Amino acid sequence: MASGAETTGVVMPDAGLRFWAASPSPNRGGTCRVPGDVRGIVIHSVEGTMASAVATFAKVGAASAHYGIDTDGAVVAFVPEGDVAFHVAAFGNRPALNRARPEWLGAYDGRWSAVNACTVGIELAGFAGRPFTAAQYASLGALCAGVATRWGFVPDASRVVSHASLQSDRSDPGDAFDWEALFAAIQASMPTSAPVVSDDDREILEVVRGLGADAAGVRGWVEKLGAYEAQG
């Protein structure tokens, strides 16, 4: 948003980002995703102002996204990253909408689209086919770097994708979107060493989640065991 009081209680370590008062959306799946569940990021354009996105996402039964970025680079939080947001209809119960299937995408489980289940959705104020601002690219790069670091994947061109690449009836964020500027901004914001969740870790986390245990705590315990084995 262009103005307002900065939010308190929204913990976001991504350096340089300005978070304005959160606008929680009721359109979400409260799944409590664990490390390894989020495998990619989908970039959208609002096709309007950030105020219009706030109004739309507040309506019960409408779409949603995890974040929005206004033209001045300010970020609005709509849905917690641990919950599923409803930002892509493809790879769900309407297969006619499916376009290119990412290699990291899981199977549709009958609840929400497979894309929504394993991605974070980010909306940019503006329109497909029109240029976005330098401030938006800077914030988007920092946000993508933070999401990837928190969830353990490399934010490259296979993991940070457009809505249009996934869904046949969408064109956003459009041909004017500067992917080179985005990936430069991501690279500038990445920590020197980012954790990546391995396939072995992912299998462990799936078992842990089934048991209802604390996944983060168990993963730390497993990592310690690995360190002990390396010393022995």
Side-chain angles (χ1 to χ4, degrees):
M1 303 292 286
S3 62
E6 289 190 77
T7 183
T8 57
V10 177
V11 179
M12 281 293 121
D14 308 335
L17 292 184
R18 289 184 297 117
F19 280 81
W20 299 93
S23 298
S25 173
N27 308 309
R28 66 180 74 179
T31 61
C32 193
R33 299 191 289 193
V34 300
D37 283 351
V38 175
R39 303 170 192 170
I41 298 168
V42 182
I43 309 301
H44 305 255
S45 56
V46 171
E47 300 306 299
T49 64
M50 188 52 60
S52 70
V54 169
T56 296
F57 294 166
K59 297 176 182 176
V60 175
S64 62
H66 293 90
Y67 300 106
I69 302 178
D70 210 347
T71 54
D72 66 351
V75 178
V76 181
F78 296 108
V79 174
E81 290 177 15
D83 291 348
V84 170
F86 305 148
H87 58 106
V88 176
F91 299 97
N93 61 2
R94 300 170 63 190
L97 296 177
N98 298 358
R99 188 167 270 168
R101 183 184 185 89
E103 58 85 20
W104 42 263
L105 189 64
Y108 172 52
D109 65 3
R111 292 182 294 173
W112 35 70
S113 102
V115 176
N116 291 342
C118 67
T119 60
V120 164
I122 303 174
E123 292 272 0
L124 299 173
F127 298 85
R130 299 184 190 177
F132 296 95
T133 68
Q136 285 179 305
Y137 285 113
S139 291
L140 181 59
L143 190 55
C144 287
V147 169
T149 300
R150 283 189 289 279
W151 293 96
F153 63 89
V154 177
D156 57 19
S158 71
R159 301 284 184 142
V160 182
V161 300
S162 69
H163 192 186
S165 71
L166 301 167
Q167 191 165 322
S168 61
D169 64 347
R170 292 292 183 268
S171 62
D172 59 316
D175 293 338
F177 187 82
D178 190 340
W179 290 98
E180 185 175 338
L182 170 59
F183 286 112
I186 291 175
Q187 186 61 35
S189 298
M190 285 296 291
T192 55
S193 178
V196 175
V197 179
S198 69
D199 290 338
D200 288 342
D201 274 359
R202 189 169 288 115
E203 290 179 8
I204 292 169
L205 290 167
E206 287 295 328
V207 173
V208 168
R209 181 165 51 182
L211 295 172
D214 177 68
V218 172
R219 184 166 187 261
W221 174 71
V222 171
E223 289 173 346
K224 287 182 180 179
L225 282 181
Y228 293 149
E229 289 177 359
Q231 292 174 5

